[in-house]
């Protein structure tokens, strides 16, 4: 097997293992700890995410999608991320009294400084990840990710069983980030040069600036729900919402975020060789949206029984927001593919302008849902995801000369089957009224899958699209997408 094939296969296997670890973490820690424990950590996580954004500010993405990256440019990015990571960690520690006062939670005085350690560590690690990805060392990326996440979960489970409470959750990302840095630094054996001005680094920083501003807007939109729930209802209700949201993000973050590491450099190389990537992007969109829609379809239809089965009956208040978020997950793949198109076409500034429209809209919809409790907040977030898709397509048609109708038609080939399958499955499950949690979850999963593919094949051209998607999967594994 070639190096590329081995790397692609390792990446797929690694992602499945990482998903399994994340899922195990959600289930096991939820059974060992209280909702309030997760709510306390989630209060800090909002500001930790802001620190991570300010630390990177689009630099890893700019380096990843660059058609050519010199060693000096990579070194400049490394030192910039490292210094900004340390600065963000110090700043978060200094403002911990303000966070404790904001939430009226004195326990945050120690939680915030402890979690800020991850900012300094991940700042040094960011460019190592880019270097490994650009060198197509996806096996190294996958192995280090799995080992770090697995070791961190073991430590967290030990702490939860030993009575550490919320400290078990605090320690988990610190251990994962530290181990990831050590492993990738030892494998890469790359010594960055001293930072130097020039070397065309400024142009890449400007691209990173545009991407960073767009990500800052996305941060505000993606974290306003956590912030307002914590401020209004405290760590208890935030804990329920946080578990629902974390479970919702497992399929999306486990598939879409890592795939960006492969897709951007691969597609950038194709564009550099003068090839059009639009046909491939349409096939990728259909494949990803079909896979994610099926996962979220099963989650949404069986949520009433799935969450108590996985997390325990004490998490019943998380069912409503989880089900609503899962329905919004039908649109998860569309935004990511649009994001790739903006970067591949060199339209980072237009991506920023787009976010100036869609992200404030998301904030407004989340706030509109606040009077209706945590399920209302989830509904606002999910509705914003759905409305952002046609806006993205309109923007692409205007600034990147993309055939947005082609992306829209391809999206409907998964949205329509998912919507019909959800309605049919819910009707059958309610009419059957089966006892317990296991039987409705299993039957609902089978029915949702059967209805989903049945409707998809019944749509004209549906079978050919499904067959093309199945042929695409082994090519993705071998990383021979553009041959």
């Amino acid at each position: 097997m070639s190096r590329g094939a081995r790397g692609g296969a390792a990446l797929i296997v690694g992602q499945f293992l990482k998903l399994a670890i994340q899922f195990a973490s959600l289930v096991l820690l939820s059974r060992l700890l209280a909702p309030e424990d997760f709510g306390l950590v989630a209060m800090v996580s909002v500001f930790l995410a802001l620190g991570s954004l300010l630390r990177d500010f689009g630099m890893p993405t700019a380096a990843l999608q660059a058609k050519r990256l010199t060693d000096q440019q990579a070194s400049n990015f490394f030192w910039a991320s490292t210094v900004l990571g340390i600065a963000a960690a110090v700043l978060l520690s200094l403002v911990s009294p303000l966070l404790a006062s904001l939430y009226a939670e004195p326990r945050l005085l120690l939680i915030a400084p402890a979690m800020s350690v991850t900012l300094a560590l991940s700042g040094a690690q960011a460019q190592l990840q880019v270097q490994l990805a650009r060198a197509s060392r996806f096996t190294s990326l996958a192995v280090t990710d799995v080992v770090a996440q697995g070791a961190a979960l073991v430590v967290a489970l030990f702490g939860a069983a030993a009575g550490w409470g919320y400290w078990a959750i605090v320690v988990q990302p610190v251990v994962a980030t530290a181990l990831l840095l050590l492993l990738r630094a030892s494998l890469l054996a790359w010594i960055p040069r001293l930072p130097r001005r020039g070397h065309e680094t400024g142009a890449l920083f400007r691209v990173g600036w545009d991407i960073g501003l767009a990500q800052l807007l996305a941060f505000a939109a993606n974290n306003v729900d956590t912030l307002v729930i914590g401020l209004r209802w405290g760590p208890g209700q935030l804990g329920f919402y946080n578990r629902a949201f974390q479970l919702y993000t497992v399929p999306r973050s486990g598939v879409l975020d890592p795939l960006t590491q492969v897709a951007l450099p691969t597609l950038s190389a194709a564009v550099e060789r003068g090839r059009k990537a639009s046909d491939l992007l349409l096939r990728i969109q259909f494949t990803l949206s079909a896979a994610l829609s099926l996962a979220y379809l099963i989650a949404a239809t069986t949520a009433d029984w799935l969450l108590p089965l996985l997390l325990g009956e004490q998490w019943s208040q998380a069912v409503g927001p989880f089900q609503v978020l899962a329905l919004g997950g039908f649109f998860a793949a569309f935004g990511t593919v649009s994001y790739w198109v903006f970067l591949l076409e060199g339209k980072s500034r237009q991506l920023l302008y787009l976010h100036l429209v869609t992200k404030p809209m998301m904030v407004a919809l989340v706030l509109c849902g606040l009077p209706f409790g945590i399920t209302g907040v989830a509904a606002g977030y999910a509705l914003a995801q759905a409305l952002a898709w046609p806006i993205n397509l309109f923007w692409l048609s205007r600034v990147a000369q993309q055939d947005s109708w082609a992306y829209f038609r391809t999206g409907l080939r998964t949205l329509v089957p998912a919507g019909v399958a959800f309605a049919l499955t819910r009707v059958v499950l309610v009419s059957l009224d089966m006892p317990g949690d296991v039987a409705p979850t299993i039957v609902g999963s089978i029915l949702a899958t059967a209805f989903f593919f049945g409707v998809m094949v019944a749509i004209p051209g549906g079978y050919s699209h499904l067959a093309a998607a199945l042929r695409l999967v082994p090519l993705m594994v071998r990383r021979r997408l553009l041959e």
Side-chain angles (χ1 to χ4, degrees):
M1 185 184 294
S2 68
R3 179 186 176 187
R6 288 194 301 270
L11 185 67
I12 299 298
V13 173
Q15 282 310 119
F16 276 117
L17 293 175
K18 186 179 176 181
L19 278 174
I21 292 171
Q22 292 176 342
F23 187 72
S25 177
L26 277 168
V27 172
L28 297 176
L29 290 177
S30 296
R31 290 183 171 274
L32 292 171
L33 300 171
E36 183 174 319
D37 295 327
F38 294 97
L40 282 169
V41 175
M43 288 175 171
V44 178
S45 296
V46 174
F47 299 92
L48 193 70
L50 177 58
S52 298
L53 177 60
L54 296 176
R55 174 205 67 212
D56 291 340
F57 219 74
M59 288 184 291
T61 305
L64 189 63
Q65 60 90 38
K67 296 177 176 63
R68 181 175 176 271
L69 188 71
T70 67
D71 190 61
Q72 185 61 60
Q73 289 171 334
S75 298
N76 289 345
F77 274 124
F78 171 83
W79 291 114
S81 294
T82 300
V83 171
L84 288 175
I86 295 173
V90 172
L91 181 60
L92 181 57
S93 299
L94 291 176
V95 302
S96 57
L98 296 178
L99 299 185
S101 175
L102 177 67
Y103 287 111
E105 270 294 346
R107 288 173 287 186
L108 301 184
L109 281 169
L110 296 178
I111 295 176
M115 296 185 70
S116 71
V117 175
T118 61
L119 293 173
L121 296 173
S122 56
Q125 189 274 141
Q127 190 57 39
L128 303 182
Q129 177 172 313
V130 172
Q131 290 287 84
L132 289 170
R134 290 186 66 91
S136 298
R137 295 181 60 179
F138 298 112
T139 300
S140 298
L141 285 171
V143 171
T144 53
D145 224 354
V146 170
V147 171
Q149 295 293 333
L153 175 58
V154 171
V155 174
L157 290 175
F158 172 81
W164 293 2
Y166 54 82
W167 283 109
I169 315 172
V170 173
V171 168
Q172 188 177 12
V174 176
V175 172
T177 309
L179 189 54
L180 197 62
L181 173 61
L182 291 174
L183 290 173
R184 288 181 174 173
S186 61
L187 287 174
L188 190 59
W190 174 62
I191 300 178
R193 302 180 182 183
L194 293 175
R196 292 182 179 179
R197 300 179 65 178
H199 297 273
E200 300 182 357
T201 307
L204 287 176
F205 273 119
R206 285 191 291 273
V207 173
W209 175 262
D210 290 339
I211 296 172
L213 287 175
Q215 290 174 342
L216 183 61
L217 292 168
F219 160 82
N222 292 331
N223 289 276
V224 65
D225 49 357
T226 298
L227 182 63
V228 297
I229 290 173
L231 289 173
R232 181 157 182 173
W233 292 300
Q237 286 295 298
L238 181 55
F240 288 118
Y241 183 84
N242 176 259
R243 287 293 86 182
F245 195 87
Q246 290 297 316
L247 195 58
Y248 152 73
T249 58
V250 167
R252 188 181 68 180
S253 62
V255 175
L256 297 180
D257 294 347
L259 188 59
T260 300
Q261 299 176 27
V262 180
L264 283 181
T266 303
L267 293 172
S268 293
V271 173
E272 179 72 7
R273 295 195 301 267
R275 302 188 63 178
K276 290 186 63 176
S278 56
D279 292 341
L280 178 61
L281 282 167
L282 286 169
R283 294 172 63 193
I284 290 177
Q285 176 182 284
F286 178 83
T287 304
L288 292 180
S289 62
L292 289 175
S293 293
L294 178 59
Y296 285 123
L297 168 64
I298 293 173
T301 52
T302 64
D304 299 277
W305 308 276
L306 180 64
L307 256 68
L309 178 65
L310 293 177
L311 308 183
E313 294 295 335
Q314 72 272 23
W315 291 94
S316 58
Q317 292 186 54
V319 171
F322 173 70
Q323 186 174 52
V324 173
L325 288 169
L327 291 173
F330 291 167
F331 299 86
F334 304 146
T336 298
V337 173
S338 298
Y339 173 69
W340 292 348
V341 176
F342 277 108
L343 295 182
L344 289 169
E345 295 290 339
K347 302 294 184 181
S348 58
R349 180 59 56 89
Q350 291 296 328
L351 177 65
L352 171 60
Y353 294 154
L354 172 65
H355 278 28
L356 286 171
V357 174
T358 57
K359 300 312 177 183
M361 176 189 70
M362 180 177 287
V363 172
L365 289 173
V366 167
L367 293 177
C368 287
L370 190 60
F372 304 97
I374 58 176
T375 300
V377 171
Y381 185 91
L383 179 59
Q385 295 282 93
L387 294 177
W389 179 44
I391 297 175
N392 285 350
L393 294 181
F394 172 77
W395 216 278
L396 283 173
S397 68
R398 301 287 292 182
V399 304
Q401 291 75 50
Q402 293 289 318
D403 184 1
S404 295
W405 281 111
Y407 288 97
F408 184 75
R409 290 193 300 270
T410 302
L412 289 180
R413 291 186 178 278
T414 57
L415 283 179
V416 172
V420 173
F422 173 77
L424 293 175
T425 305
R426 289 295 296 182
V427 169
V428 174
L429 287 177
V430 171
S431 63
L432 290 177
D433 192 23
M434 291 175 286
D437 295 324
V438 177
T441 301
I442 295 175
V443 172
S445 300
I446 295 173
L447 288 175
T449 303
F451 286 138
F452 178 70
F453 286 113
V455 175
M456 182 179 290
V457 173
I459 295 175
Y463 179 81
S464 61
H465 275 74
L466 185 59
L470 293 176
R471 290 194 299 269
L472 183 64
V473 172
L475 294 178
M476 293 174 67
V477 172
R478 301 189 193 104
R479 296 186 63 250
R480 294 172 54 190
L481 293 175
L482 301 172
E483 291 184 4

